[in-house]
Amino acid sequence: MNKTIVVKLVAAAAVMGLAGCTDLKPLQAEVDGLKTQIASLQTDVTAAKASADAASRAASAAQSSANQAAQAASGAQSTANQALSAAQAAQSSVDATNEKIDRMFKKSVSK
């Protein structure tokens, strides 16, 4: 879009210069300068696009890594919940066994 505007300005300047001047060398120097600036701007735009594309790829990779980490964390939480459940069941069993032993000991002492 900016390139089109610059080209139109150059064309307009050329027409005005041709209409009012007989010496085209200063005008040609300005046109050449503008062409150089346009080429420089095109290079800058290309470099900026390449940087934006690289940043987009990096962000995508980071998002993928974050998703994998979230899945791993979810799996770890599930395993931890299962371990907690197993530990609570084992503790209940130990408590019940201890209670039976206490009752048996009390019976044997009372005889």
Side-chain angles (χ1 to χ4, degrees):
M1 185 168 156
N2 289 337
K3 181 180 175 183
T4 305
I5 293 171
V6 171
V7 170
K8 288 180 182 178
L9 287 173
V10 169
V15 169
M16 291 174 70
L18 289 175
C21 295
T22 57
D23 188 12
L24 297 179
K25 287 182 182 179
L27 184 57
Q28 185 61 44
E30 287 182 39
V31 169
D32 291 341
L34 289 172
K35 285 181 182 179
T36 303
Q37 288 177 359
I38 289 171
S40 177
L41 289 173
Q42 286 175 332
T43 302
D44 291 348
V45 167
T46 301
K49 184 178 182 324
S51 293
D53 290 345
S56 176
R57 284 190 301 274
S60 179
Q63 181 64 40
S64 177
S65 294
N67 288 342
Q68 290 173 352
Q71 288 175 350
S74 178
Q77 182 64 50
S78 176
T79 302
N81 289 342
Q82 291 173 357
L84 176 61
S85 178
Q88 288 172 337
Q91 184 63 48
S92 293
S93 177
V94 167
D95 290 345
T97 301
N98 285 340
E99 189 176 317
K100 287 180 185 177
I101 291 172
D102 285 347
R103 281 191 306 237
M104 286 176 32
F105 180 75
K106 286 180 185 177
K107 280 185 182 179
S108 69
V109 171
S110 67
K111 288 186 180 184

